[in-house]
Structures are given as structure tokens and as C-alpha cells.
Amino acid sequence: FHSLILFGGLVAVATILYRRIMGVTWVGGLAALLFGIDDAHGFPASFLANRNALLATIFGILALLIHDSWRRQNWRPGIYLGPAALALGLLSAEAAVATGAYLVAHALFLDQGRRTEKLLCLLPYGMVTMIWWAIYRSLGFGTGGLDFYLDPGAETLRFLAAIPERAPILLLTQVGFFPLNIYHLLDEGIIGAVRVSVLGMLILIGIGIFPLLRGDARARFW
């Protein structure tokens, strides 16, 4: 019950983010619906020990919302509250590190300030992340010796080597054609065939959305 309440809160803040970026349109509503019913969220919402992922994502989205209010609406408290929200996300789960990619995308495609100013605005988030990372490693957190979960900080070379194999599968799950949870159950032959199919499908998708990416800064942000 607790996890379902958190998941409801996650869907709510995600909906606010979609409306903030896309405007109050049916597109933002459809995005929120697809987010809410995505099968990838079933595990965090149902497995008690995975509540940390819900908390990390809630705080990560709050950091994005606060940062957007600061940069595009000149809401000055956002200077402090945005990094604070990111810190809470990182203290919930290391997955909150992914928030940094969205903050960089915001600076590149949505922030209307000067280039130097936009980069300086990201420094507080970078400092929070580095402080968290130093504490995280010094206390011995992280993983090691696992084939499925790779720590990019402790197993950098293995992590980089796994990107060509896993990135296409991860991208495909985002458009709903492949259930990620069964990936580690497949044998190597099936995985190879799936990988080739995925690359072809992603190329077709990329060709289809290129005009949208070229003409819409919001699409480039996503």
C-alpha cells in the first residue's frame, strides 16, 4: 500500500513535468498515461525492497521541475531547492544520477540564458553529485562481481563494454516492443537476433522522428 501511494505520487509529478514541458495539451496527457501504465514500473511498485527507485525518481523529477521554474520563470528559491531535491534523490537510490542527463538536456535545449550562464547553473548539481559519490564510495556502497548489474564507477571497462549490447534493448523497451524483465532469461542466440532486430527498428524510428527533432526543442530535450 505504501509503495502504491508512492507510485501515485510519482505519476502525479511526472504529469506535472509533461505539462510543464509540453504545455496543457492532449500530448502531455497521453505521455502521462503511457508513463502510468508502463510495465517497467510494475516491479518498483510491487516489490517492497524496490521503493528506493520510486523515491529516487520522485525527487529527481522534483529537481527538474524546480530547476525549470528557476531558469524559465526566475524563481530564485530554485537555486537551492533544486540541488537539495537531487541530494534527496541520491540518498534514496543511486539511480537518481540519471537526473543529471535531463538537467544537461534542459540547459542545451530549453534554457534561454547565455551559454556560460547555463553551464554555471549546473555546477551546484555537479557538486552535490560529487559529494554524494565520495561518501557513497567511502562507505563501501555499490555492487561488484555481478553479470547483470554493473557499477560504472567500480567496473568502468565492463560497463562500457556492455553498452553496445544493452543500450539498444533498453531503448527498445522505451517504445514498448520488448519486455526488459525477460532479457536476462534468454539464451545468447535469441539475444543476438533480438539485438539485430532492435538496431534496425531503432534506425527506422530515428529516421521517422528526425524532422521532429530538427524543428522542436522540446523533442530534442526528451
Side-chain angles (χ1 to χ4, degrees):
F1 180 70
H2 188 184
S3 295
L4 290 176
I5 291 175
L6 287 174
F7 181 65
L10 171 58
V11 174
V13 295
T15 301
I16 295 170
L17 179 65
Y18 287 131
R19 287 164 62 97
R20 176 74 62 81
I21 302 300
M22 301 178 181
V24 185
T25 65
W26 69 269
V27 178
L30 177 60
L33 174 63
L34 294 175
F35 182 89
I37 65 174
D38 192 328
D39 68 288
H41 300 150
F43 200 72
S46 62
F47 182 39
L48 188 62
N50 207 195
R51 283 188 304 186
N52 57 347
L54 299 175
L55 288 166
T57 311
I58 288 172
F59 287 123
I61 293 176
L62 286 175
L64 285 168
L65 286 168
I66 292 169
H67 183 74
D68 185 72
S69 296
W70 166 31
R71 295 302 300 152
R72 297 205 291 172
Q73 298 176 341
N74 199 31
W75 189 58
R76 305 299 292 177
I79 298 174
Y80 312 101
L81 295 179
L86 177 60
L88 291 174
L90 292 168
L91 292 173
S92 301
E94 67 268 23
V97 169
T99 310
Y102 289 93
L103 290 167
V104 171
H106 187 283
L108 291 174
F109 304 117
L110 298 180
D111 196 323
Q112 300 301 313
R114 293 174 296 179
R115 181 177 302 178
T116 303
E117 179 186 359
K118 292 190 292 185
L119 293 176
L120 288 175
C121 289
L122 297 178
L123 283 180
Y125 300 98
M127 292 176 61
V128 165
T129 303
M130 287 189 292
I131 292 171
W132 164 80
W133 179 252
I135 297 173
Y136 182 87
R137 300 309 301 179
S138 67
L139 294 178
F141 291 112
T143 65
L146 300 176
D147 291 329
F148 188 64
Y149 189 99
L150 301 177
D151 186 333
E155 303 171 286
T156 306
L157 293 179
R158 290 186 66 202
F159 182 85
L160 293 174
I163 289 177
E165 172 192 339
R166 300 185 181 185
I169 302 293
L170 288 167
L171 287 172
L172 187 65
T173 63
Q174 295 301 297
V175 291
F177 295 126
F178 188 80
L180 181 62
N181 292 337
I182 70 168
Y183 172 69
H184 66 288
L185 302 176
L186 303 177
D187 62 44
E188 186 58 36
I190 296 176
I191 290 176
V194 169
R195 197 179 303 141
V196 172
S197 301
V198 167
L199 288 173
M201 190 173 297
L202 289 174
I203 291 172
L204 292 175
I205 293 173
I207 293 172
I209 66 174
F210 180 75
L212 177 63
L213 294 175
R214 185 172 58 181
D216 192 329
R218 296 170 300 176
R220 293 195 294 275
F221 164 77
W222 292 118

